[in-house]
Amino acid sequence: MIVFDLGCENSHRFEGWFSSSEDFEQQLGRKLVSCPLCGDANIVRLPHALRINKSAGKERGRTAADIERRQYANVGAENLTKLIEHIVENTEDVGPAFPEEARKIHYNESPDRRIRGTASRAEVEALKDEGIDVVALPIPAHLQGKAH
Ligand SMILES: [Zn+2]
């Protein structure tokens, strides 16, 4: 069994028990999951507080995200490098504070701006679960740690 922290559109939080993450996705897709407090069927998965703070390395059970395939595009390395350079020039490097800062910006606790930094896969998953849009950046070695 897997326990997921779930939330509805009315900001109620509750736990859902499922036999697997596939089972959860299926039930969610068929709107079989609803909020026990208000019956809302627009349910989202919330980040597991424990998982966010846990150091990476030990993986408990594979989730759908673990077997997710990475994305590729046939844009050519040069175009990609230009795009990355543009992103690097137009974002503030917050380093390992990225997940925390991205969350603060999302909840209007920090000034709205574009940032970049490092995050673990679990942290990125948690951000996405909260509706915070982040993308993985394949930053070339010569741009890594570049000050601006
Ligand atoms: Zn509710």
Side-chain angles (χ1 to χ4, degrees):
M1 293 296 273
I2 296 182
V3 188
F4 287 137
D5 285 340
L6 305 174
C8 77
E9 285 197 324
N10 298 316
S11 307
H12 298 131
R13 288 184 166 227
F14 56 98
E15 283 187 345
W17 292 70
F18 303 92
S19 59
S20 65
S21 50
E22 288 80 17
D23 178 40
F24 165 69
E25 298 291 343
Q26 272 186 13
Q27 292 200 32
L28 192 69
R30 289 194 222 139
K31 300 263 180 201
L32 292 175
V33 188
S34 61
C35 173
L37 296 165
C38 69
D40 183 16
N42 291 313
I43 301 303
V44 292
R45 208 178 124 195
L46 302 172
H48 227 287
L50 280 173
R51 257 173 62 197
I52 299 170
N53 297 325
K54 233 173 79 174
S55 59
K58 238 194 268 173
E59 284 200 37
R60 266 191 312 165
R62 283 158 67 85
T63 64
D66 291 326
I67 50 173
E68 186 185 323
R69 289 165 62 83
R70 284 173 186 273
Q71 303 242 349
Y72 293 91
N74 59 340
V75 294
E78 199 187 318
N79 288 334
L80 185 61
T81 303
K82 277 184 194 154
L83 180 65
I84 300 284
E85 274 173 354
H86 177 82
I87 293 171
V88 167
E89 277 163 24
N90 291 283
T91 52
E92 181 187 329
D93 189 2
V94 296
F98 179 79
E100 193 190 333
E101 203 54 34
R103 197 167 275 123
K104 280 186 185 166
I105 291 168
H106 183 74
Y107 294 110
N108 297 318
E109 288 164 15
S110 267
D112 189 14
R113 63 202 198 280
R114 298 289 155 208
I115 57 169
R116 66 179 194 281
T118 56
S120 71
R121 192 208 303 246
E123 284 168 337
V124 167
E125 235 186 276
L127 289 174
K128 287 185 175 173
D129 281 348
E130 287 180 52
I132 302 167
D133 237 354
V134 298
V135 292
L137 291 177
I139 296 189
H142 73 279
L143 287 176
Q144 297 239 10
K146 182 183 164 188
H148 59 137

